[in-house]
Amino acid sequence: MWLCVLLVSIVFSIIYLGILQMFAGQMLVISFWFSVIAMIGTGVYYLAAKIWFAGAIMVIFGVFYALMWFSWRHRIPFSKLVLETVCHITRKFPSTMVVSLVFLIIQTAYSAMWSLALAGSFKYMEKYQSCSTHVDRNGRQYQSCTNVKEILAWVYMVFSFYWTSSVILNVLHTTICGTFATFYFFDGAPGGYPTNHVTLSSLKRSLTNSFGSICFGSLIVAIIQTIRSLLRALRNQEGDNIAVQLIACCIDCILGCIEGIVEFFNKYAYVEIAIYGKPFVQAAKDTWTLIKDRGVDALINDCLIGNVLQMGSFLCAAVVALVAWLYITITKPEYNSTGSYTAPIIIAAFVIAMSMFMVLLKCIDSGAATTFVCLAEDPDVMARNNPRLFALVRETYPQVVRGVHAGDYY
């Protein structure tokens, strides 16, 4: 059944990419209203379930999001051109989809291996558990057990999962960014591309010259994610202690905001790393300069491609969940004779499909990020190769089309 889930997810992702390439503008409009309907629909469901506060919040947000259409609709022409440009490059380099599939397999294999290792570590660490007997205020005896080594092993396993997973995805991101940057700077140039195997050369750089920078950037995010996992575990353990719950929740919220900011900058810092092979710290500084001084933040905020990808991931997950339900209903496996595993299997299929879609269509997200950075670095190249998009950017975002440097490409 899980093989069926994987195949359906891959096929749906490829079909969705083809639809994006043919109907870029229409998909942007559909994805916007899909988000509105999803929010209001979720709110109505919560209200029907008598979860009043969450339902009211979702409905209010949905209505406000719908009203944002009047200020957002002017962004569609720009987002459409960016999406068409990215899809065109993806068609020219289908290897970006191939490398995404390869890294998806690597990530899946690692996750499975990590799950087995985690279960094995808990089993092995049981022998280090120490228990002691205490007497409560009523004179009754009770036993308290601790296992410091097991806790440390769990922290290490969680950290290693976050770090390794982040490295895998960021190597993929940097590889795709290198491919798109090669197209941006060398397509149509008299000398042609610097290599016959653009994506393979970009992958080689990501795994050699740029690997240390990728690992360092991923380490920062992994540390934050590990601390947040510890806070969530503390909140679950101290369920009756309101003070601990409140403090842990506040710290987790702050760290969540910091994590989002770091991931945002990392995304564009890896583009600098892919293009110039810079150290991570220097790439992060240059990214800050691009975003603040060059006005790239306006481009990023006005681009609606993220809505299209989010809608696609939800639809893919819904289709795969339906397929999983049909498979269980038709085949009636013996392990699910009572139906107790139906809901967990459908939920697992939904989450797996959504994750697979986002990895397989990483080429779209990474391609858009690379296009923004390359445009800010050397707008003259876009003026030569994509005059329609350049004219729209020059008219709407004049501060961006002042090049910084483009001769350091390696």
Side-chain angles (χ1 to χ4, degrees), residues 20 23 28 32 43 49-50 83 85 89 116 128 149 161 172 177 195 203 262 337-338 348 354 359 364 373 377:
L20 282 181
F23 308 102
L28 287 166
F32 178 90
K50 297 183 180 181
L83 185 56
T85 301
I89 301 173
L116 293 174
Y128 296 108
K149 290 186 177 181
F161 177 79
L172 171 62
C177 290
T195 175
L203 176 61
V262 171
S337 57
T338 61
M354 184 173 288
V359 172
I364 302 295
V373 173
E377 294 284 2

Side-chain angles (χ1 to χ4, degrees), residues 141-184:
Q141 292 185 343
Y142 68 94
Q143 196 174 48
S144 175
C145 298
T146 59
N147 194 334
V148 176
K149 290 186 177 181
E150 184 180 69
I151 295 173
L152 292 176
W154 177 82
V155 172
Y156 171 78
M157 290 296 295
V158 170
F159 169 73
S160 66
F161 177 79
Y162 282 134
W163 193 15
T164 305
S165 299
S166 185
V167 168
I168 292 172
L169 294 178
N170 287 329
V171 167
L172 171 62
H173 173 61
T174 308
T175 299
I176 296 174
C177 290
T179 302
F180 275 77
T182 301
F183 173 87
Y184 183 91

Side-chain angles (χ1 to χ4, degrees), residues 24-33 36 64-81 301-305 307 392 396-397:
Q26 294 88 334
M27 291 298 289
L28 287 166
V29 176
I30 292 172
S31 65
F32 178 90
W33 290 109
V36 173
F64 274 109
Y65 198 80
L67 295 175
M68 291 289 290
W69 168 256
F70 298 101
S71 63
W72 280 14
R73 57 185 176 183
H74 73 278
R75 304 179 184 182
I76 291 178
F78 167 71
S79 300
K80 176 184 177 182
L81 282 177
N301 291 334
D302 284 358
C303 187
L304 303 176
I305 292 178
N307 281 8
L392 183 59
T396 313
Y397 316 99

